[in-house]
């Protein structure tokens, strides 16, 4: 799933290529992706992209005051096309292509744009056309942005205080902290040398400060690594920058211990026993306890 660093990089990518261009049209090929009907998606035609921003994992294209808000979900992605003038028509509902955004042709006759695709059968990619991004329920419910100026150690302390949630789940909850998903929560906890099953409210002041440092540093470093990359290269860069996520069975870069995995019904987490759990492997959550 694209998380804060990838979405931030996609926003920067679109700022360079889409801002200042008029929208020639928006083709919705996956009808399930369009979540709004008023204003209609056709209202975007002829408007100019004046800005691109990010809200958590949401992309927001400001088109003369009307907003095209995109959530790529777990299996969605954005593919930039230098010229869509010769793009073949696609039958709605066929293949991974969900939405095609066509921009006006330039002086050379090239009509660039981008396509939103989604692999698999669980279609969760979402597109909204709204007058205000806050009209999107997921945006309105977002917690603080971990790279925002208000997200300091005291803010994290307030979030954690009295919260009996495991810290892994807390980091992934978009209503608590915006933008962190399964991959970067693994990375943050490894950097903080913290068990994913630790209860949030039990963290000491030192651990809260360490966790805050790990969140901000991990995300900033990921954003910096992706800076200037084309959209097509972001997935590969993300994989190469991960220290524990999706690396079960490989040696930890910090201590050399074998990275382990805990599986859930629809996801998995990875961690280093030596760095994070005092050398004790965590049981699969289907067993719901530490191995003795």
């Amino acid at each position: 799933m694209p998380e804060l660093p990838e979405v931030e990089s996609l926003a920067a990518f679109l700022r360079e290529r889409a801002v200042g261009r008029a929208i020639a049209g928006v083709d919705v090929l996956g009808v399930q992706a369009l979540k709004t009907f008023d204003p209609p998606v056709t209202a975007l035609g002829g408007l100019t992209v004046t800005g691109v921003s990010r809200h958590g994992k949401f992309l927001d294209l400001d088109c003369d005051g009307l907003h095209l808000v995109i959530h790529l979900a777990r299996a969605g992605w954005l593919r930039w096309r230098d010229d869509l003038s010769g793009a073949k028509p696609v039958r709605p509902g066929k293949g991974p292509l969900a939405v095609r955004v066509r921009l006006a042709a330039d002086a050379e006759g090239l009509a660039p744009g981008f396509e939103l695709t989604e692999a698999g059968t669980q279609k969760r990619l979402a597109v909204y056309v709204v007058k205000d991004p806050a009209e999107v329920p997921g945006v309105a419910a977002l917690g603080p942005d971990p790279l925002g100026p208000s997200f300091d150690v005291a803010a994290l302390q307030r979030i954690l205080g009295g919260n009996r949630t495991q810290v892994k789940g807390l980091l992934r909850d978009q209503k608590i902290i915006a933008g962190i998903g399964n991959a970067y929560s693994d990375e943050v906890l490894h950097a903080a040398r913290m068990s994913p099953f630790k209860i949030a409210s039990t963290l000491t002041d030192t651990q809260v400060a360490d966790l805050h440092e790990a969140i901000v540093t991990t995300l900033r470093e990921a954003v910096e690594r992706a800076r200037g990359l084309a959209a097509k290269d972001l997935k590969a860069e993300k994989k190469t920058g991960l220290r524990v996520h999706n690396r079960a069975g490989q040696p930890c870069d910090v201590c050399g211990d074998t990275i382990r995995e805990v599986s859930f019904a629809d996801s998995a987490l990875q961690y280093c026993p030596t760095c994070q759990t005092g050398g004790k492997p965590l049981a699969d959550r289907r067993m719901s306890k530490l191995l003795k």
Side-chain angles (χ1 to χ4, degrees):
M1 175 184 287
E3 300 179 33
L4 185 156
E6 294 78 51
V7 179
E8 180 64 35
S9 297
L10 287 173
F13 180 87
L14 290 176
R15 286 186 204 111
E16 294 179 359
R17 290 161 177 80
V19 169
R21 292 182 178 270
I23 294 181
V26 179
D27 306 318
V28 180
L29 303 162
V31 293
Q32 75 287 337
L34 185 61
K35 305 302 182 183
T36 55
F37 61 91
D38 185 22
V41 69
T42 54
L44 293 167
L47 301 183
T48 298
V49 180
T50 56
V52 183
S53 56
R54 175 188 60 79
H55 313 286
K57 301 179 189 177
F58 290 83
L59 268 174
D60 175 12
L61 281 75
D62 186 340
C63 307
D64 284 334
L66 201 59
H67 294 260
L68 175 63
V69 179
I70 300 163
H71 191 274
L72 294 170
R74 176 173 291 185
W77 196 245
L78 183 150
R79 300 188 303 189
W80 178 260
R81 301 298 192 191
D82 290 327
D83 187 15
L84 282 171
S85 59
K88 296 180 180 179
V90 178
R91 290 178 59 190
K94 298 294 182 180
L97 184 57
V99 177
R100 176 181 285 157
V101 177
R102 295 176 285 109
L103 301 176
D106 58 22
E108 298 177 354
L110 298 178
F114 60 88
E115 296 173 334
L116 304 177
T117 62
E118 186 172 26
T121 58
Q122 295 185 358
K123 302 300 184 182
R124 297 176 180 174
L125 184 148
V127 174
Y128 308 80
V129 180
V130 293
K131 297 177 181 178
D132 185 335
E135 296 174 26
V136 177
V139 173
L142 287 173
D145 191 292
L147 294 185
S150 64
F151 188 78
D152 54 15
V153 175
L156 182 59
Q157 182 75 70
R158 289 191 295 271
I159 290 170
L160 299 173
N163 195 315
R164 298 294 300 171
T165 305
Q166 292 173 348
V167 68
K168 165 76 175 181
L170 182 144
L171 290 175
R172 293 184 61 188
D173 190 334
Q174 300 305 293
K175 295 179 181 180
I176 296 178
I177 300 175
I180 302 175
N182 195 35
Y184 286 106
S185 57
D186 282 351
E187 297 300 298
V188 164
L189 292 170
H190 179 255
R193 304 182 68 87
M194 188 174 296
S195 169
F197 295 158
K198 190 170 184 63
I199 301 301
S201 60
T202 66
L203 269 64
T204 66
D205 290 346
T206 298
Q207 288 173 326
V208 172
D210 290 345
L211 180 59
H212 178 270
E213 176 66 20
I215 291 171
V216 174
T217 300
T218 299
L219 296 178
R220 282 181 177 167
E221 288 180 350
V223 170
E224 190 59 34
R225 288 196 306 270
R227 190 180 303 278
L229 292 180
K232 63 183 179 65
D233 298 324
L234 289 174
K235 287 184 180 180
E237 192 290 321
K238 178 179 180 178
K239 290 180 180 178
T240 59
L242 299 176
R243 291 188 172 187
V244 289
H245 185 73
N246 274 349
R247 293 190 61 215
Q250 299 179 41
C252 171
D253 291 342
V254 175
C255 71
D257 195 0
T258 301
I259 295 169
R260 307 247 184 168
E261 179 173 285
V262 177
S263 298
F264 300 88
D266 61 351
S267 65
L269 66 82
Q270 290 80 39
Y271 69 100
C272 170
T274 294
C275 291
Q276 297 176 251
T277 60
K280 292 184 178 180
L282 296 170
D284 190 295
R285 289 308 288 161
R286 288 168 292 192
M287 296 171 63
S288 302
K289 61 181 180 179
L290 280 169
L291 290 173
K292 300 299 183 181

PDB file of all heavy atoms in Angstrom, residues 28-41:
ATOM      1  N   VAL A  28     -13.730   7.481 -16.193  1.00  0.00           N
ATOM      2  CA  VAL A  28     -13.894   6.540 -15.090  1.00  0.00           C
ATOM      3  C   VAL A  28     -14.200   5.178 -15.682  1.00  0.00           C
ATOM      4  O   VAL A  28     -15.274   4.955 -16.245  1.00  0.00           O
ATOM      5  CB  VAL A  28     -14.999   6.992 -14.131  1.00  0.00           C
ATOM      6  CG1 VAL A  28     -15.154   5.983 -12.999  1.00  0.00           C
ATOM      7  CG2 VAL A  28     -14.689   8.375 -13.570  1.00  0.00           C
ATOM      8  N   LEU A  29     -13.252   4.257 -15.556  1.00  0.00           N
ATOM      9  CA  LEU A  29     -13.390   2.930 -16.151  1.00  0.00           C
ATOM     10  C   LEU A  29     -13.756   1.874 -15.109  1.00  0.00           C
ATOM     11  O   LEU A  29     -14.301   0.839 -15.447  1.00  0.00           O
ATOM     12  CB  LEU A  29     -12.091   2.560 -16.860  1.00  0.00           C
ATOM     13  CG  LEU A  29     -11.685   3.586 -17.932  1.00  0.00           C
ATOM     14  CD1 LEU A  29     -10.229   3.454 -18.296  1.00  0.00           C
ATOM     15  CD2 LEU A  29     -12.556   3.431 -19.151  1.00  0.00           C
ATOM     16  N   GLY A  30     -13.423   2.164 -13.858  1.00  0.00           N
ATOM     17  CA  GLY A  30     -13.855   1.305 -12.756  1.00  0.00           C
ATOM     18  C   GLY A  30     -14.918   2.059 -11.985  1.00  0.00           C
ATOM     19  O   GLY A  30     -14.594   2.905 -11.140  1.00  0.00           O
ATOM     20  N   VAL A  31     -16.171   1.793 -12.287  1.00  0.00           N
ATOM     21  CA  VAL A  31     -17.252   2.618 -11.733  1.00  0.00           C
ATOM     22  C   VAL A  31     -17.270   2.592 -10.214  1.00  0.00           C
ATOM     23  O   VAL A  31     -17.723   3.538  -9.563  1.00  0.00           O
ATOM     24  CB  VAL A  31     -18.622   2.177 -12.287  1.00  0.00           C
ATOM     25  CG1 VAL A  31     -18.704   2.477 -13.763  1.00  0.00           C
ATOM     26  CG2 VAL A  31     -18.860   0.686 -12.038  1.00  0.00           C
ATOM     27  N   GLN A  32     -16.752   1.504  -9.621  1.00  0.00           N
ATOM     28  CA  GLN A  32     -16.741   1.400  -8.166  1.00  0.00           C
ATOM     29  C   GLN A  32     -15.763   2.379  -7.535  1.00  0.00           C
ATOM     30  O   GLN A  32     -15.837   2.669  -6.338  1.00  0.00           O
ATOM     31  CB  GLN A  32     -16.406  -0.029  -7.727  1.00  0.00           C
ATOM     32  CG  GLN A  32     -14.943  -0.432  -7.866  1.00  0.00           C
ATOM     33  CD  GLN A  32     -14.518  -0.654  -9.309  1.00  0.00           C
ATOM     34  OE1 GLN A  32     -15.349  -0.929 -10.174  1.00  0.00           O
ATOM     35  NE2 GLN A  32     -13.210  -0.545  -9.572  1.00  0.00           N
ATOM     36  N   ALA A  33     -14.832   2.919  -8.324  1.00  0.00           N
ATOM     37  CA  ALA A  33     -13.819   3.818  -7.780  1.00  0.00           C
ATOM     38  C   ALA A  33     -14.373   5.212  -7.486  1.00  0.00           C
ATOM     39  O   ALA A  33     -13.908   5.881  -6.564  1.00  0.00           O
ATOM     40  CB  ALA A  33     -12.645   3.929  -8.751  1.00  0.00           C
ATOM     41  N   LEU A  34     -15.356   5.661  -8.245  1.00  0.00           N
ATOM     42  CA  LEU A  34     -15.896   7.009  -8.076  1.00  0.00           C
ATOM     43  C   LEU A  34     -16.902   7.020  -6.933  1.00  0.00           C
ATOM     44  O   LEU A  34     -17.948   6.369  -7.001  1.00  0.00           O
ATOM     45  CB  LEU A  34     -16.558   7.485  -9.369  1.00  0.00           C
ATOM     46  CG  LEU A  34     -17.065   8.929  -9.369  1.00  0.00           C
ATOM     47  CD1 LEU A  34     -15.928   9.908  -9.142  1.00  0.00           C
ATOM     48  CD2 LEU A  34     -17.791   9.228 -10.679  1.00  0.00           C
ATOM     49  N   LYS A  35     -16.592   7.761  -5.883  1.00  0.00           N
ATOM     50  CA  LYS A  35     -17.400   7.741  -4.664  1.00  0.00           C
ATOM     51  C   LYS A  35     -18.352   8.931  -4.535  1.00  0.00           C
ATOM     52  O   LYS A  35     -19.127   8.993  -3.582  1.00  0.00           O
ATOM     53  CB  LYS A  35     -16.473   7.704  -3.438  1.00  0.00           C
ATOM     54  CG  LYS A  35     -15.477   6.556  -3.443  1.00  0.00           C
ATOM     55  CD  LYS A  35     -16.150   5.202  -3.526  1.00  0.00           C
ATOM     56  CE  LYS A  35     -15.137   4.067  -3.487  1.00  0.00           C
ATOM     57  NZ  LYS A  35     -15.761   2.743  -3.642  1.00  0.00           N
ATOM     58  N   THR A  36     -18.282   9.881  -5.459  1.00  0.00           N
ATOM     59  CA  THR A  36     -19.150  11.060  -5.386  1.00  0.00           C
ATOM     60  C   THR A  36     -19.849  11.255  -6.734  1.00  0.00           C
ATOM     61  O   THR A  36     -19.385  10.754  -7.762  1.00  0.00           O
ATOM     62  CB  THR A  36     -18.351  12.318  -5.040  1.00  0.00           C
ATOM     63  OG1 THR A  36     -17.278  12.472  -5.982  1.00  0.00           O
ATOM     64  CG2 THR A  36     -17.771  12.231  -3.633  1.00  0.00           C
ATOM     65  N   PHE A  37     -20.947  11.989  -6.736  1.00  0.00           N
ATOM     66  CA  PHE A  37     -21.675  12.251  -7.977  1.00  0.00           C
ATOM     67  C   PHE A  37     -22.023  13.733  -8.155  1.00  0.00           C
ATOM     68  O   PHE A  37     -22.442  14.156  -9.231  1.00  0.00           O
ATOM     69  CB  PHE A  37     -22.957  11.417  -8.035  1.00  0.00           C
ATOM     70  CG  PHE A  37     -23.935  11.701  -6.931  1.00  0.00           C
ATOM     71  CD1 PHE A  37     -24.917  12.669  -7.096  1.00  0.00           C
ATOM     72  CD2 PHE A  37     -23.874  11.017  -5.727  1.00  0.00           C
ATOM     73  CE1 PHE A  37     -25.820  12.942  -6.075  1.00  0.00           C
ATOM     74  CE2 PHE A  37     -24.771  11.287  -4.705  1.00  0.00           C
ATOM     75  CZ  PHE A  37     -25.743  12.259  -4.876  1.00  0.00           C
ATOM     76  N   ASP A  38     -21.866  14.534  -7.112  1.00  0.00           N
ATOM     77  CA  ASP A  38     -22.174  15.952  -7.174  1.00  0.00           C
ATOM     78  C   ASP A  38     -21.101  16.728  -6.405  1.00  0.00           C
ATOM     79  O   ASP A  38     -21.027  16.602  -5.182  1.00  0.00           O
ATOM     80  CB  ASP A  38     -23.559  16.230  -6.580  1.00  0.00           C
ATOM     81  CG  ASP A  38     -23.972  17.696  -6.724  1.00  0.00           C
ATOM     82  OD1 ASP A  38     -23.400  18.372  -7.619  1.00  0.00           O
ATOM     83  OD2 ASP A  38     -24.841  18.148  -5.967  1.00  0.00           O
ATOM     84  N   PRO A  39     -20.266  17.490  -7.127  1.00  0.00           N
ATOM     85  CA  PRO A  39     -20.253  17.766  -8.557  1.00  0.00           C
ATOM     86  C   PRO A  39     -19.896  16.519  -9.377  1.00  0.00           C
ATOM     87  O   PRO A  39     -19.162  15.647  -8.884  1.00  0.00           O
ATOM     88  CB  PRO A  39     -19.157  18.825  -8.707  1.00  0.00           C
ATOM     89  CG  PRO A  39     -18.923  19.356  -7.335  1.00  0.00           C
ATOM     90  CD  PRO A  39     -19.215  18.239  -6.408  1.00  0.00           C
ATOM     91  N   PRO A  40     -20.377  16.442 -10.615  1.00  0.00           N
ATOM     92  CA  PRO A  40     -20.035  15.302 -11.464  1.00  0.00           C
ATOM     93  C   PRO A  40     -18.577  15.364 -11.883  1.00  0.00           C
ATOM     94  O   PRO A  40     -17.967  16.441 -11.923  1.00  0.00           O
ATOM     95  CB  PRO A  40     -20.969  15.485 -12.666  1.00  0.00           C
ATOM     96  CG  PRO A  40     -21.218  16.950 -12.727  1.00  0.00           C
ATOM     97  CD  PRO A  40     -21.264  17.405 -11.292  1.00  0.00           C
ATOM     98  N   VAL A  41     -18.021  14.223 -12.230  1.00  0.00           N
ATOM     99  CA  VAL A  41     -16.618  14.182 -12.633  1.00  0.00           C
ATOM    100  C   VAL A  41     -16.398  14.995 -13.904  1.00  0.00           C
ATOM    101  O   VAL A  41     -15.299  15.521 -14.142  1.00  0.00           O
ATOM    102  CB  VAL A  41     -16.164  12.716 -12.800  1.00  0.00           C
ATOM    103  CG1 VAL A  41     -16.826  12.063 -14.006  1.00  0.00           C
ATOM    104  CG2 VAL A  41     -14.651  12.625 -12.903  1.00  0.00           C
TER     105      VAL A  41
END
